[in-house]
Amino acid sequence: MRNKILKHYLQTSTYTYAGTYREYFRSLPDEVAKLGRLVCAQVIHRVTLHEGNTNANAKLQYGDMTKFPWYRMRCEDDILLTAAAMTTELFRLDERGFVPDRETENKIVVTCRYVSVLMSAILKAKNIPCRSRAGFAPYFQPEKSMDHWINQYWSAEEGRWVTIDADGFYDENGMNLGQYDIADGKFDYAAKAWLDVRSGSVDGTKFLYADGLGTCSLKAAIRALFYDFHALMNDEISYQFQPCYIDNKFEQLTEQDFKELDGLARLLLSPDENFDELVHIWETKKKYRIMNSPLVGDYDNLGRW
């Protein structure tokens, strides 16, 4: 069973396929922490760019934001959906590729899902089973848990999944997260967040989706639940992708819909133990996979599930 699971997480998606960059990815550092810091040095988070040289970037750890060109997109999530696209743009901006001294003006502006996809693509190219995961990070704000994407890679030496977060220089900025071997309980996985809010054991306002609209509780958790499910099936959908049957229809969902999602969440609590069941759902539950996106809506998908 383990071999089947590990083989699954060596497979790539549209988003994590290395293509012509496979050999280049293999040339990058093998030490995961070193690789993560290198990847982080290529990107600027949209929040960091917005806040400028303050808060997490007070010491210019992420570069001097005053040097970022005014005409560049303030977030390139919309156009750099895949690892190959991100890498191509990085080479276009600086032909040296992934370098620790990349100038601020030559970095790409992407958010956590994109860093996670890039890490998954590189590690898979190195023949290391890896998966992106979605949920909420309680280590950014007191009393709150922000929607976030991370990675898990398989350590053959230790025989376990190691949880990492390469989306920032957290440990170097004194967060003491242990970001390249995050302990259990430090990250709120989507399934547990969903079930905790459903049971009433956690105040749902704790879980926030960063859309600027204050989306929280089950509305935030339902998005993360599908991000995580799709990512575990090697389909790392972006933020604007949601199953057609729930897209802008949260208030129309019934208690039966919620109970069905409770069942999915319980399986996602232990994705390896429940791997076969999750794959079966993936292959048979059409409504979980037929997606709306910025250019695809209900009209296109009507009646297909």
Side-chain angles (χ1 to χ4, degrees):
M1 181 65 174
R2 175 183 289 179
N3 288 338
K4 178 169 69 172
I5 293 171
L6 296 183
K7 183 178 179 180
H8 171 78
Y9 291 115
L10 284 173
Q11 295 174 10
T12 60
S13 67
T14 299
Y15 308 111
T16 59
Y17 179 61
T20 56
Y21 294 111
R22 181 179 289 108
E23 291 305 317
Y24 179 73
F25 285 171
R26 289 175 178 171
S27 76
L28 296 177
D30 291 327
E31 182 188 338
V32 174
K34 186 175 181 180
L35 173 65
R37 288 191 290 270
L38 179 62
V39 167
C40 190
Q42 313 311 302
V43 307
I44 301 170
H45 195 285
R46 64 183 301 178
V47 173
T48 303
L49 182 59
H50 176 75
E51 294 180 345
N53 298 336
T54 66
N55 297 334
N57 196 41
K59 297 180 180 179
L60 305 187
Q61 189 85 351
Y62 300 95
D64 183 353
M65 295 303 123
T66 66
K67 294 183 178 179
F68 190 81
W70 60 268
Y71 52 83
R72 286 268 308 276
M73 292 187 71
R74 311 303 286 181
C75 182
E76 294 168 313
D77 287 4
D78 291 338
I79 57 174
L80 301 177
L81 283 168
T82 70
M86 285 184 272
T87 304
T88 296
E89 181 66 356
L90 286 168
F91 270 99
R92 186 185 76 84
L93 293 167
D94 185 333
E95 292 185 348
R96 296 178 300 160
F98 288 60
V99 288
D101 61 342
R102 178 175 285 268
E103 298 291 345
T104 305
E105 57 268 33
N106 293 329
K107 296 184 179 186
I108 59 173
V109 184
V110 293
T111 53
C112 56
R113 175 263 177 197
Y114 296 76
V115 174
S116 175
V117 165
L118 195 50
M119 287 295 291
S120 285
I122 295 170
L123 290 172
K124 287 172 186 281
K126 289 176 173 289
N127 206 37
I128 299 173
C130 186
R131 57 198 188 191
S132 294
R133 299 297 307 269
F136 301 87
Y139 39 84
F140 293 139
Q141 292 186 18
E143 310 301 324
K144 298 295 182 181
S145 198
M146 302 296 297
D147 71 290
H148 196 48
W149 288 60
I150 57 173
N151 293 89
Q152 292 177 316
Y153 74 90
W154 181 258
S155 170
E157 182 180 352
E158 300 180 45
R160 67 181 179 100
W161 290 106
V162 180
T163 303
I164 63 173
D165 184 349
D167 194 42
F169 296 112
Y170 304 139
D171 285 349
E172 294 174 32
N173 282 342
M175 190 176 286
N176 296 319
L177 175 65
Q179 69 181 99
Y180 292 103
D181 191 355
I182 300 174
D184 291 344
K186 292 281 190 178
F187 185 78
D188 295 323
Y189 289 98
K192 188 174 187 304
W194 172 269
L195 292 170
D196 284 348
V197 176
R198 283 279 289 158
S199 68
S201 62
V202 173
D203 180 357
T205 60
K206 170 185 176 181
F207 301 111
L208 298 178
Y209 174 62
D211 58 357
L213 302 175
T215 300
C216 63
S217 195
L218 291 179
K219 282 189 175 181
I222 198 172
R223 300 183 71 92
L225 194 68
F226 278 108
Y227 297 154
D228 198 42
F229 177 46
H230 275 251
L232 285 167
M233 295 294 105
N234 289 324
D235 182 40
E236 303 84 358
I237 54 175
S238 188
Y239 310 121
Q240 297 298 314
F241 292 59
Q242 284 285 280
C244 179
Y245 91 103
I246 70 165
D247 188 40
N248 293 316
K249 305 180 187 71
F250 184 84
E251 285 75 13
Q252 300 173 31
L253 298 178
T254 67
E255 180 61 21
Q256 183 56 42
D257 290 323
F258 287 164
K259 288 181 178 177
E260 186 178 55
L261 291 173
D262 292 345
L264 175 63
R266 282 191 286 270
L267 293 175
L268 290 172
L269 289 175
S270 302
D272 288 352
E273 292 177 18
N274 300 314
F275 180 76
D276 285 341
E277 289 181 79
L278 289 169
V279 170
H280 177 73
I281 291 171
W282 179 250
E283 293 176 346
T284 59
K285 187 77 74 172
K286 292 182 179 180
K287 68 180 183 179
Y288 286 179
R289 293 184 63 179
I290 296 176
M291 311 299 288
N292 279 1
S293 70
L295 295 177
V296 176
D298 291 355
Y299 177 82
D300 305 280
N301 290 325
L302 189 62
R304 294 190 180 180
W305 65 82

